[in-house]
Amino acid sequence: MNASTAAARAVVAALREAGVQDVVLCPGSRSAPLAYALAAADAAGGPRLHVRVDERAAGFTALGLALGGPAPAAVVTTSGTAVANLHPAVLEAHESAVPLLVLSADRPHRLRGTWANQTTALQAGLFGGAVRLALDVPAEDPPGRLAGAVRDAVATARGTGGRRPGPVHVDLAFDDPLVPDDDPPVPDDDPRAVDDDPLAPGTVAAGPAAPARDDVPDHPAAVVLAAGPRTVVVAGAGAGDDARRLAEAAGWPLLAEPSSGARGGPHAIGPYRLLLDEPGLGGRVERVVVLGRPTLSRPVTRLLARDDVEVVHVVRHADDPRADDPRAGRAVRRVPAVRAGAGGDDGGWLESWRRAGRLATAALDDVLDHTADHAVDHAADHAVDRAAYRAQGAPRPLDGLVLAREVARATAPDDVLVAAASNAVRDLDLAGAPWDRPRRVLANRGLSGIDGTLSTASGVALATGRRTRVLVGDLAFLHDLNGLLAGPAEPEPDLQVVLLDDDGGGIFSLLEHGDERFATVFERVFGTPHGSDVAALCRGIGVPHRPAVDLADLRTALANPPPGRSVLHVRADRSARRALQARVADAVRVAVNGPR
């Protein structure tokens, strides 16, 4: 067979052998050999193929597949700017330690620097230090050696020698012809299909490789902590169930972000970020044990920066950012053991947090129930009574905190919930009460971008095969609308998009930019209203759209999502958001401390 066909088939076979179960492909000519090989493999049992028309959406779909599944996922593009469109997903995978394999097709090396169409010498090292390994593979590489390079790349993406998992980039040069000929595939026992040397002469590493295993020290012995100092466990994104188990074993309060994987059980505190500024709670903390990556709230950031608080970070990999940063506190490689009976705690530390958590949750619910019950649409006549208004079928605005609370309540143990960056994940953190046992909540918290949210959620749904919801704001929705595009031959994700539409950037009203001093410029440069017709956009891409008329209608829609892709559209009024947050904070303060 021709060289490009043989190389592509060797790459796909190596992906399968290395455990890659899903590959996302974008159309292109130079990548055609891989497209043919992937289509044939998909028909023969794997890897499973997903085709997308937008490279940025494809990158985040692959990221979601790797995030939700048990194995690395790959994304395949043609040459040129197509590869550059993967950069946001690669950066997120780098910071979140997600095993993502980028396979970019390229023209032969001899055409670099000759003004050949869609060719740049920058492509092979395009992602710089954002990838764990970058390989520049010439068209002359024998299939066996090329397959070895791919297997090594997959192993690096998984994390080797105690290093963090992450993205890798293999740039594959293909020469003409780019279509398969009539030669049959090379049998597995043919000597041309096997080569123990993964890198042929001329194949170069274009980026940093993971160090060898003996470069990484072994795990130290488990650290033993005294139970006595007033301690809280902070569980950031990706902390896992270790955080919950540690808090429960030690008798400590658990402050768990939604995407921590630990937000549940009797020690998890509800609106904890409103309690950290309380002198009798957050003010008395003497030690914090941190697992995962806490990114959501300024009160947590302030807690970790206090000089009077001991901070212990549990890191999983030798190259974790906190592993050797003395400014971050003490780093340990194992979850600490706890020595019972040591220290001077009077036994009421945990109960004081649990009591405050219960009171705060009840106060928050009272405010949100009142807000939902009295919401009105600015477009509606305020004199119209509720029954007549409902009869009109027009949705009334519901605040994002109300929506997040209802989404959390509707998330069953077997569901998967994806939370967008910006307000969505923060609303879930504040208003979503801890579950009896943690739910699977995922979010792109590596760089916290709103780009690629729908694509990531689609990949998660495809990887898990479970009912998946994504809680997303309108700007993140519009930013990744292509993430809902999928052809009729593509696997259908079971994905309900729960869209909070406040016609702009609601989070900015909660930051310092929302102060009345900046009102003259706020709406244009921060609020950024767009006035989009979401229902028409959904019709245009063939995705069912359903508005939520009121709170009761919202609950019905969350309890009975249609199969496949759908959009549940919830209107919101961001002009009232800042005042609502203040009412919530005041109500919690009164509930915990009593009236002043």
Side-chain angles (χ1 to χ4, degrees), residues 26 43 125 137 164 174 195 241 266 305 330 365 394 461 512 552 554:
C26 285
V137 182
R164 301 169 75 220
F174 291 115
D195 196 314
D241 204 43
R330 181 183 181 188
D365 280 340
E512 54 269 34
L554 170 65

Side-chain angles (χ1 to χ4, degrees), residues 274-284 353 585 588-590 592-593:
L274 296 180
L275 304 177
L276 281 172
D277 290 330
E278 292 292 330
L281 295 166
R284 298 179 66 214
W353 276 91
V588 168
R589 185 164 47 249
V590 170
V592 173
N593 298 309

Side-chain angles (χ1 to χ4, degrees), residues 427-451:
D427 288 348
L428 192 64
D429 186 48
L430 181 59
W435 294 280
D436 55 348
R437 58 186 177 92
R439 303 294 193 260
R440 190 168 192 194
V441 182
L442 301 172
N444 287 337
R445 298 308 301 165
L447 289 176
S448 307
I450 66 169
D451 47 349

